[in-house]
Amino acid sequence: MLGYDFSQPELLQQALTHRSCKGRHNERLEFLGDAILSMVIAEALYQHFPNAKEGELTRMRASLVKGVTLAEIATELSIADYLRLGPGEMKSGGHRRESILADAFEAILGAIYLDAGLDVCKERILYWFSSRLQQITPQQQKDSKTRLQEYLQGRRLALPVYQVEHTEGEAHNQQFTVSCRIEGRAAVVASGSSRRKAEQDAAYKMLERIQDEH
């Protein structure tokens, strides 16, 4: 499923072992994989977008290596089916948790690097990210919070304040409600499966409201 056969399968086993499970877990491999992924994606973007500015390259890289993207690729590779979790994490649905999937994916990259070297690891990364690298553009990468902040800064206005109003649901399946407030305007409220998603949605709604008024 990974398109790679380990000569040291114990590395793969470690990469799939969460810290909640007894034995050698994957945090050190995750650290290694994170650094390799960032470097490989940075180089790919540098080559693909020769006219992009540093800030644009940084935003594109952040979009590609963020947790939600890594969790999506981990899901495409069915990594959740092979995770080794402790009883508590297993019971709470840890194999579906975005952060655990993203960490395991990075740990697998670290394991491939130790098993076969940088060239092989780089080939796998570029293969798994190929469609996303083809679709990404410098103009698309400013998220709603960034666009709202830049809009306000350009007009020398106070920056928005985000606040979690309440959360609902079990720890592994929470729903966050967040408000976005700007001085002199009524707050907007949005919900999401994470605080980050709720904040982004609230920023989008606030930006839409301001732009409609103008």
Side-chain angles (χ1 to χ4, degrees):
M1 295 171 81
L2 296 176
Y4 175 74
D5 292 325
F6 279 85
S7 60
Q8 304 173 77
E10 63 274 14
L11 285 170
L12 176 59
Q13 184 177 51
Q14 182 182 350
L16 294 167
T17 303
H18 187 255
R19 65 183 178 186
S20 62
C21 188
K22 291 182 179 179
R24 297 183 69 191
H25 56 71
N26 63 11
E27 286 188 345
R28 284 170 53 84
L29 288 174
E30 173 206 337
F31 166 79
L32 187 58
D34 174 70
I36 295 165
L37 175 63
S38 183
M39 184 272 291
V40 170
I41 294 298
E43 181 188 14
L45 293 170
Y46 182 87
Q47 298 293 345
H48 290 180
F49 299 98
N51 298 318
K53 298 177 182 178
E54 178 191 2
E56 293 171 329
L57 293 170
T58 299
R59 284 192 294 272
M60 286 190 287
R61 181 180 61 182
S63 175
L64 289 170
V65 304
K66 65 185 179 182
V68 63
T69 304
L70 305 188
E72 287 172 0
I73 297 175
T75 299
E76 293 166 8
L77 295 172
S78 300
I79 287 174
D81 296 341
Y82 302 94
L83 289 175
R84 302 177 72 229
L85 305 171
E89 283 292 350
M90 184 71 74
K91 187 176 180 180
S92 65
H95 61 286
R96 295 189 300 270
R97 191 166 301 149
E98 182 181 288
S99 60
I100 291 179
L101 289 170
D103 291 348
F105 176 73
E106 289 181 328
I108 287 173
L109 298 183
I112 292 175
Y113 169 76
L114 292 178
D115 198 58
L118 182 58
D119 287 345
V120 174
C121 187
K122 178 179 177 179
E123 184 276 328
R124 286 291 82 197
I125 291 172
L126 294 178
Y127 177 79
W128 290 326
F129 280 84
S130 59
S131 62
R132 291 169 172 85
L133 284 167
Q134 290 170 9
Q135 293 169 7
I136 202 165
T137 66
Q139 293 76 24
Q140 294 176 342
Q141 297 316 305
K142 290 186 181 181
D143 59 37
S144 297
K145 288 181 68 175
T146 300
R147 290 193 295 122
L148 176 59
Q149 179 173 318
E150 290 181 353
Y151 182 93
L152 297 171
Q153 285 177 327
R155 290 156 180 78
R156 297 186 178 180
L157 299 173
L159 296 181
V161 175
Y162 301 93
Q163 182 175 334
V164 177
E165 299 296 330
H166 62 267
T167 59
E168 297 176 337
E170 300 294 329
H172 65 282
N173 189 29
Q174 286 187 310
Q175 190 78 0
F176 293 79
T177 299
V178 170
S179 63
C180 174
R181 289 179 169 83
I182 293 176
E183 186 176 325
R185 294 181 178 274
V188 298
V189 177
S191 298
S193 57
S194 70
R195 177 174 179 169
R196 181 188 62 80
K197 290 179 181 178
E199 287 180 349
Q200 290 288 355
D201 196 22
Y204 178 80
K205 290 180 178 179
M206 180 63 80
L207 193 58
E208 269 199 331
R209 176 190 287 180
I210 293 173
Q211 290 174 339
D212 285 346
E213 291 173 358
H214 291 277

